[in-house]
């Protein structure tokens, strides 16, 4: 049996770090208002010359270094983003060129904040097929480019960044027991397009011919997020044959501290098991799960052998969860 094993993580944030106080100088808001409602204290904003592709490249290089691999060892790149450098070609192909990979499979996945989870399942399925052996799975965004900076209810919530992981196909027969084998144990994904007008961008090539700006009905999104995330985490754990108390860490989409707290309570999970980084980089959409995962790996919280659950929900609505033994 082939299983996709996590071998390295990496992340990248733009140089420019913006505090709530700095943002309040341009937007009608306050540090207290933002922190109370979201838990966010800082976000990073891409500057001149920084794009989704450059951030993705930097995160990919960090993940490759952590895995002890060269770029040429990769034969699959799946990049999750809602803010590509161009309508086409896929930003993944630009990253491929930046890394100096002569030939590999490279494409983008668009599922907004759930994009990284979608990309993980796609890469996992392709690795299990035996055709590809090593994959770079990247979440990268420059949401600052699609924000309405006059809408204080949305512009304070988002930031730019990228995170990446390396997955490697391994035969579980090489492990002592299949039950203790490392790798992705189960993934579950969902979508419900009936709610697409609750979180969307009001532009696009085939509608307005413009990029558009992000629009969101926050209260409705919050309500759906707590219910959907708790349900899909339980579903993924059941598919993996694990109880909730077997979970060592939950690495959630970093959208809002209140959503994270409410989801943990709904699952009766201790708050100390939830990795929370939203205060430092805000909502980075598809980048937020790998950003948080990388931070928890690098600071020593997440270690080999632990059970980790990744989860996210985003515009569409799309949502999903993945259970892995790291």
């Amino acid at each position: 049996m082939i299983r996709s094993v996590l071998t390295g993580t990496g992340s990248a944030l733009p140089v420019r770090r913006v505090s709530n106080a700095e943002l309040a100088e341009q937007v009608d808001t306050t540090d207290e208002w933002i922190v109370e409602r979201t838990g966010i204290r800082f976000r990073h904003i891409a500057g001149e010359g920084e794009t989704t592709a450059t951030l993705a490249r930097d995160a990919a290089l960090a993940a490759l270094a952590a895995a002890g691999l060269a770029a040429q060892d990769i034969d699959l790149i799946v990049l999750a983003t809602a803010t590509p450098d161009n309508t086409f070609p896929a930003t993944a192909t630009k990253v491929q060129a930046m890394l100096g990979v002569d030939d590999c499979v490279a494409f983008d996945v668009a599922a907004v904040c759930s994009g990284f989870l979608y990309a993980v399942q796609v890469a996992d399925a392709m690795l299990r097929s035996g055709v590809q052996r090593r994959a770079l799975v990247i979440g990268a965004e420059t949401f600052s480019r699609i924000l309405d900076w006059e809408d204080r209810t949305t512009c304070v919530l988002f930031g730019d960044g990228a995170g990446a992981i390396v997955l490697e196909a391994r035969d579980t027969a090489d492990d002592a027991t299949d039950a203790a084998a490392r790798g992705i144990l189960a993934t579950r994904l969902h979508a419900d397009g009936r709610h697409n007008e609750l979180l969307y961008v009001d532009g696009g090539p085939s509608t307005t011919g413009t990029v558009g700006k992000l629009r969101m009905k926050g209260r409705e999104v919050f309500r759906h997020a707590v219910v959907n995330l708790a349900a899909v985490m339980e579903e993924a754990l059941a598919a993996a044959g694990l109880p909730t108390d077997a979970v060592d860490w939950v690495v959630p989409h970093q959208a809002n501290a209140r959503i994270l707290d409410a989801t943990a309570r709904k699952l009766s999970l201790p708050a100390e098991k939830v990795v929370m980084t939203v205060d430092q980089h805000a909502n980075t959409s598809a980048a937020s799960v790998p950003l948080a995962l990388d931070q928890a790996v690098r600071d020593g919280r997440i270690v080999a052998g632990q059970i980790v659950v990744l989860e996210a929900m985003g515009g569409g609505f799309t949502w999903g969860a993945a259970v892995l033994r790291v």
Side-chain angles (χ1 to χ4, degrees):
M1 176 182 177
I2 295 176
R3 184 171 284 169
S4 302
V5 176
L6 175 68
T7 62
T9 67
S11 60
L13 290 166
V15 173
R16 186 183 170 207
R17 187 186 194 217
V18 179
S19 68
N20 290 342
E22 292 174 85
L23 195 60
E25 295 176 2
Q26 306 173 41
V27 180
D28 182 18
T29 190
T30 66
D31 174 68
E32 293 77 15
W33 189 92
I34 298 171
V35 173
E36 179 183 351
R37 288 163 177 77
T38 70
I40 297 167
R41 297 182 183 276
F42 299 94
R43 75 280 299 141
H44 290 73
I45 304 298
E48 185 177 355
E50 291 182 307
T51 70
T52 294
T54 64
L55 294 174
R57 172 204 59 202
D58 293 346
L61 287 171
L64 286 167
L69 296 172
Q72 292 292 346
D73 294 322
I74 298 297
D75 48 19
L76 172 64
I77 301 174
V78 187
L79 191 154
T81 187
T83 52
D85 280 22
N86 305 94
T87 301
F88 72 85
T91 302
T93 62
K94 297 184 72 173
V95 175
Q96 175 197 4
M98 290 175 175
L99 294 175
V101 180
D102 298 331
D103 183 25
C104 74
V105 178
F107 58 93
D108 292 353
V109 169
V112 202
C113 302
S114 307
F116 183 75
L117 272 298
Y118 271 64
V120 165
Q121 180 159 329
V122 169
D124 179 41
M126 294 180 72
L127 292 177
R128 287 174 186 264
S129 75
V131 178
Q132 281 78 34
R133 186 181 177 193
R134 293 191 183 95
L136 263 173
V137 184
I138 309 168
E141 303 282 15
T142 46
F143 254 53
S144 63
R145 308 275 165 78
I146 58 170
L147 295 179
D148 180 351
W149 289 99
E150 295 183 357
D151 179 4
R152 72 169 188 163
T153 64
T154 59
C155 71
V156 301
L157 304 177
F158 296 90
D160 303 331
I165 63 173
V166 176
L167 293 177
E168 182 176 79
R170 291 185 185 172
D171 190 338
T172 56
D174 295 336
D175 294 288
T177 65
D178 183 65
R182 296 174 59 206
I184 297 175
L185 308 182
T187 55
R188 290 294 184 270
L189 302 175
H190 295 276
D192 188 346
R194 293 174 298 174
H195 304 296
N196 65 77
E197 292 188 357
L198 297 182
L199 177 55
Y200 68 103
V201 168
D202 62 2
S206 72
T207 52
T208 65
T210 64
V211 174
K213 299 296 183 184
L214 183 145
R215 307 298 176 196
M216 181 174 70
K217 297 179 180 178
R219 289 185 180 179
E220 290 89 343
V221 173
F222 185 103
R223 178 170 56 85
H224 283 279
V226 173
V227 173
N228 291 345
L229 291 174
V232 77
M233 286 172 63
E234 290 180 329
E235 183 186 1
L237 283 167
L242 294 169
T244 303
D245 59 11
V247 176
D248 293 296
W249 294 100
V250 175
V251 183
H253 169 48
Q254 306 291 315
N256 182 311
R258 292 167 64 193
I259 293 177
L260 273 60
D261 290 339
T263 304
R265 286 196 304 271
K266 195 170 183 66
L267 289 169
S268 299
L269 276 168
E272 56 268 23
K273 285 190 173 186
V274 180
V275 175
M276 191 178 298
T277 59
V278 66
D279 60 321
Q280 295 301 308
H281 56 70
N283 183 344
T284 54
S285 186
S288 73
V289 170
L291 269 171
L293 176 63
D294 180 59
Q295 181 168 317
V297 168
R298 291 179 185 273
D299 66 22
R301 279 178 286 176
I302 293 178
V303 297
Q306 292 182 327
I307 298 295
V308 177
V309 180
L310 315 178
E311 54 91 339
M313 192 190 94
F317 285 141
T318 61
W319 65 99
V323 181
L324 59 152
R325 189 187 302 277
V326 295

